[in-house]
Amino acid sequence: ATQENIRNFSIIAHIDHGKSTLADRIMEKTGLISDRQKKDQYLDRMELEQERGITIKAQSVRIPYKAKDGRDYILNLIDTPGHVDFSYEVSRSLAACDGALLVVDATQGVEAQTLANVYMALDNDLEVLPVLNKIDLPSAEPERVAEEIEEVIGIDCTDIVKVSAKSGLGVEELLERLVERVPPPKGDTEGPLKALIFDSWYDSYQGVVVLFRVLEGRVKNGQRVQMCATGKKFEVTKLGVFSPEPTDIKQLAAGEVGFLCAAIKELKDAQVGDTITDPDNPTNSPFPGFKTIKPMVFCGLYPVEPGEYDTLKSALEKLQLNDAALYYEPETSQALGFGFRCGFLGLLHMEVIQERLEREFQAKLIATAPSVIYRVTRIDGVTFDIDNPSNLPPQEKIQSIAEPFVRMEIHVPNDYVGNVLGLCEEKRGIQKDMRYMTSTRVVISYELPFSEIVYDFFDRLKSVTKGFASLDYEVIDYRVADLVKLDVLINSEPVDAMAVIVHRSNAAYRGRALALKLKRVIHRQLFEIIIQAAVGSKIIARERVSPMRKNVTAKCYGGDITRKRKLLEKQKEGKKRMKRMGSVEIPQEAFLAALQSD
Ligand code: GDP
Ligand code: MG
């Protein structure tokens, strides 16, 4: 294919605005997949995998398209991950494109992730083509939403494409517009090889499969390649394109998109954002901005049964093969025994992994409250990071503790502005900006401690805005704050796995809430249980679980869980999950109680 006839593009959208549906419809309208295939897509993929011995992932596909001008084009649709936790991967996928279809739900309008995605697309110099979706719905307001896009994003919407991704209405026109408006790739096809990795995953037959866009030069099957970030060299054993099934190809030149296998054993040897080059004729300008993805949120994961440690370990190993962002290392807790400290990109990533461990690997887990990374400076001047509150040195040895801050944009109907401001202030936020996007929608910008987000921000925001807010955030820097460790003692024994780091001004409140919450979830036992919360040696809250009297068994269970979080709802069924602390039986909910504000 000559570059003139190639179009590399992504679909970007706020969640639920119809990205996946539109991708399916495009594949169908271009004849890439038939109706039958669509129905059996899952099955087909499984069969194909077995046939070809390669996993097909995501919706990054090469689509041959004959345009109305009679010319044959190759459209490379490049998939982007759908969640804020994966914003770096999104940015790399966009970097592999020349244009983006900006899908906006015509019944909704511009949301936080619409904007975040647009900014990322513009950062990557993409041609952004706005598309109004769901125009089949009676509640669609194409004129209003088009105006909103024009006002808020500043893209001309006079002849905006209107589609129904569901029915297919307007999709053909959209494809014509795409070919017209998205520029073809440019790039020296004869220069040294320079290809950007925008996705990679582990395949049990082929090792790591790498998806890339050739920016300059060409890559041939059988040649040796080198990863710029690690310097490691591999021989290409398989080169191809997904269309949608994997199809072998001899070479790919600048502007083209494809996959390669090269007996790469570990995902970290082919990381998203890295540049592939030719070791014999290396590029002198690897693609800029390579970042090793770093976990931001940590928690302890422990097997309920000590005997299941090895099962958990091998489950984590398997998951990590396909998830370079998942981090884990062995950890021991006095309260919980042998387990793992696990790191995640964000809360959603954490929930997904916990769910997969339980569903796919039948691992019964006890999870501790998530923590961010704190930067501690000791009085001797040494600075280091901790991701586990129980590793905090004693107060008298600490000079300062810094915590990560995020910049957050919240989009909300103006009726809820007061509530959102109240919440952000309560969360130690610093207001940066507030502007009316339209006469009824407001964008509120705050800088907030990440730990407050991890605590209960999403649930609170949802409840104070009746679910009408959308948000986007990124971690920006570390700031010193007056932070202390809040310890929990049960019958005078500190429970290491329950310690949390909190702002001093919140310590008393959080300590009381935590002790009360524990009182509600810890059953009465044959003896008295004293629950205390303490900062250093100072006890700030105390609760007592009175001993069980004879005949009182049925009602001794006080677990009133009102929290909506999926993560915690799941814990209801986990009431069986107990850990013995000395002589006290502590249920799973107790370890997550630190998350709850009620
Ligand atoms: P994504 O999160 O952006 O990938 O959104 P999806 O493609 O999963 O779509 C979210 C929901 O909107 C699904 O229930 C779709 O069936 C629905 N949907 C998507 N496009 C349309 C459309 O054009 N019309 C209607 N009525 N529903 C749509
Ligand atoms: Mg989707």
Side-chain angles (χ1 to χ4, degrees):
T2 64
Q3 290 187 340
E4 240 339 277
N5 296 341
I6 299 174
R7 298 292 183 274
N8 295 325
F9 73 104
S10 277
I11 305 176
I12 55 179
H14 188 73
I15 186 150
D16 283 342
H17 281 203
K19 184 179 97 165
S20 305
T21 311
L22 181 61
D24 284 350
R25 206 59 62 238
I26 287 176
M27 289 191 261
E28 193 187 300
K29 288 280 176 193
T30 52
L32 191 73
I33 53 170
S34 67
D35 269 346
R36 191 204 63 81
Q37 265 178 326
K38 218 178 56 204
K39 275 192 217 98
D40 304 334
Q41 206 167 34
Y42 180 69
L43 247 184
D44 278 2
R45 288 193 172 195
M46 297 284 284
E47 279 169 22
L48 274 168
E49 273 170 35
Q50 281 167 11
E51 250 171 57
R52 315 240 175 181
I54 190 168
T55 331
I56 306 171
K57 205 184 86 169
Q59 284 179 314
S60 292
V61 285
R62 171 169 169 140
I63 309 170
Y65 174 64
K66 196 174 203 64
K68 298 244 161 69
D69 64 9
R71 287 216 263 169
D72 287 308
Y73 289 90
I74 283 177
L75 311 181
N76 288 310
L77 168 56
I78 292 173
D79 193 34
T80 56
H83 190 268
V84 280
D85 284 0
F86 299 92
S87 61
Y88 176 66
E89 283 86 338
V90 175
S91 82
R92 297 304 85 182
S93 296
L94 293 181
C97 297
D98 301 302
L101 303 181
L102 171 67
V103 173
V104 182
D105 184 335
T107 69
Q108 303 290 327
V110 173
E111 296 285 351
Q113 285 154 39
T114 314
L115 265 190
N117 281 316
V118 168
Y119 292 149
M120 235 184 247
L122 296 176
D123 278 348
N124 282 296
D125 294 326
L126 304 194
E127 176 72 27
V128 175
L129 197 64
V131 181
L132 290 177
N133 188 29
K134 307 199 188 181
I135 54 155
D136 57 295
L137 292 174
S139 55
E141 301 174 89
E143 287 77 27
R144 173 185 73 77
V145 174
E147 233 171 73
E148 194 172 293
I149 298 173
E150 201 161 288
E151 254 180 69
V152 178
I153 306 176
I155 309 179
D156 181 16
C157 290
T158 34
D159 57 349
I160 189 167
V161 193
K162 303 181 185 73
V163 306
S164 165
K166 193 170 172 185
S167 76
L169 183 75
V171 172
E172 272 144 21
E173 192 198 331
L174 172 62
L175 290 170
E176 287 296 311
R177 193 74 68 86
L178 187 148
V179 164
E180 216 175 90
R181 289 272 305 276
V182 172
K186 307 187 276 284
D188 180 4
T189 50
E190 305 311 319
L193 171 62
K194 173 174 170 182
L196 172 67
I197 300 178
F198 62 86
D199 199 358
S200 60
W201 63 91
Y202 186 81
D203 177 281
S204 40
Y205 297 102
Q206 304 283 349
V208 176
V209 182
V210 182
L211 266 185
F212 59 90
R213 146 116 188 232
V214 188
L215 297 160
E216 282 166 25
R218 50 188 74 225
V219 57
K220 299 188 178 87
N221 193 19
Q223 86 166 80
R224 279 163 65 72
V225 291
Q226 183 168 27
M227 304 299 170
C228 291
T230 59
K232 290 202 181 163
K233 295 170 193 163
F234 301 95
E235 187 183 311
V236 178
T237 55
K238 198 171 181 61
L239 186 70
V241 295
F242 289 115
S243 194
E245 69 280 8
T247 312
D248 290 346
I249 214 161
K250 287 204 178 63
Q251 68 166 339
L252 288 166
E256 293 191 282
V257 172
F259 72 88
L260 65 76
C261 305
I264 305 170
K265 297 264 180 327
E266 287 191 89
L267 220 43
K268 67 173 163 37
D269 289 333
Q271 294 173 75
V272 169
D274 198 357
T275 303
I276 305 171
T277 194
D278 179 350
D280 298 327
N281 181 18
T283 174
N284 56 16
S285 60
F287 197 80
F290 174 74
K291 277 203 300 200
T292 311
I293 27 182
K294 278 205 303 277
M296 304 297 300
V297 174
F298 290 77
C299 78
L301 292 181
Y302 291 83
V304 171
E305 303 295 335
E308 283 173 4
Y309 176 86
D310 287 332
T311 317
L312 178 57
K313 183 170 178 222
S314 75
L316 283 167
E317 262 163 27
K318 287 208 184 83
L319 283 182
Q320 199 188 39
L321 276 180
N322 242 323
D323 187 345
L326 170 63
Y327 161 92
Y328 69 92
E329 68 172 19
E331 167 180 270
T332 318
S333 150
Q334 278 166 11
L336 296 173
F338 293 104
F340 297 92
R341 193 75 192 161
C342 298
F344 311 92
L345 290 173
L347 283 179
L348 181 97
H349 186 215
M350 180 179 86
E351 287 177 22
V352 168
I353 295 290
Q354 288 185 11
E355 208 168 296
R356 292 191 61 188
L357 285 169
E358 308 212 326
R359 262 223 315 265
E360 294 167 33
F361 298 92
Q362 281 80 45
K364 282 218 171 52
L365 301 173
I366 289 198
T368 65
S371 168
V372 301
I373 298 176
Y374 293 94
R375 191 154 292 164
V376 181
T377 304
R378 277 197 317 236
I379 44 175
D380 61 9
V382 177
T383 296
F384 55 98
D385 287 352
I386 60 160
D387 58 52
N388 186 343
S390 64
N391 293 342
L392 196 68
Q395 245 171 323
E396 62 275 12
K397 294 233 166 91
I398 298 174
Q399 186 181 91
S400 67
I401 307 176
E403 62 179 340
F405 260 67
V406 302
R407 181 183 297 125
M408 180 178 283
E409 292 233 310
I410 303 170
H411 292 221
V412 74
N414 56 354
D415 294 351
Y416 301 106
V417 167
N419 291 355
V420 172
L421 296 183
L423 175 64
C424 290
E425 294 298 323
E426 181 196 321
K427 296 299 187 185
R428 302 190 281 129
I430 302 158
Q431 193 181 326
K432 289 315 228 187
D433 190 23
M434 181 164 108
R435 55 186 196 277
Y436 274 80
M437 196 160 73
T438 66
S439 56
T440 55
R441 303 221 4 120
V442 181
V443 180
I444 301 167
S445 302
Y446 260 87
E447 289 173 2
L448 293 146
F450 191 29
S451 64
E452 299 285 351
I453 313 296
V454 168
Y455 179 48
D456 66 352
F457 190 85
F458 297 142
D459 291 343
R460 294 282 304 281
L461 182 68
K462 202 168 169 186
S463 84
V464 302
T465 63
K466 300 207 166 71
F468 282 113
S470 69
L471 64 81
D472 187 73
Y473 68 89
E474 61 173 340
V475 174
I476 47 171
D477 55 16
Y478 271 76
R479 298 181 194 175
V480 170
D482 190 7
L483 301 166
V484 293
K485 182 165 72 144
L486 184 62
D487 284 309
V488 172
L489 296 85
I490 292 183
N491 286 350
S492 304
E493 284 294 315
V495 184
D496 57 355
M498 283 187 195
V500 284
I501 291 174
V502 299
H503 195 261
R504 192 185 299 275
S505 65
N506 289 334
Y509 163 76
R510 290 275 294 270
R512 277 196 299 274
L514 185 52
L516 196 62
K517 179 72 199 158
L518 289 176
K519 177 187 167 134
R520 284 197 241 135
V521 298
I522 294 178
H523 332 226
R524 296 163 89 183
Q525 297 175 25
L526 290 168
F527 43 87
E528 176 181 61
I529 301 169
I530 302 294
I531 301 160
Q532 291 167 310
V535 171
S537 56
K538 191 167 156 222
I539 304 292
I540 54 176
R542 182 182 187 279
E543 293 289 340
R544 169 176 178 271
V545 180
S546 54
M548 194 158 42
R549 269 164 286 150
K550 274 178 202 146
N551 302 332
V552 185
T553 43
K555 285 187 181 157
C556 64
Y557 215 50
D560 167 34
I561 301 166
T562 50
R563 197 173 153 81
K564 284 139 261 128
R565 244 187 128 62
K566 206 173 75 190
L567 177 71
L568 290 173
E569 257 187 6
K570 223 175 44 198
Q571 309 303 338
K572 281 184 195 165
E573 110 220 353
K575 275 183 180 162
K576 303 170 229 86
R577 298 177 190 181
M578 296 284 184
K579 274 286 165 181
R580 183 169 285 276
M581 259 296 295
S583 51
V584 185
E585 292 260 330
I586 303 178
Q588 152 81 76
E589 297 104 295
F591 295 94
L592 284 171
L595 261 184
Q596 289 164 284
S597 50
D598 58 346

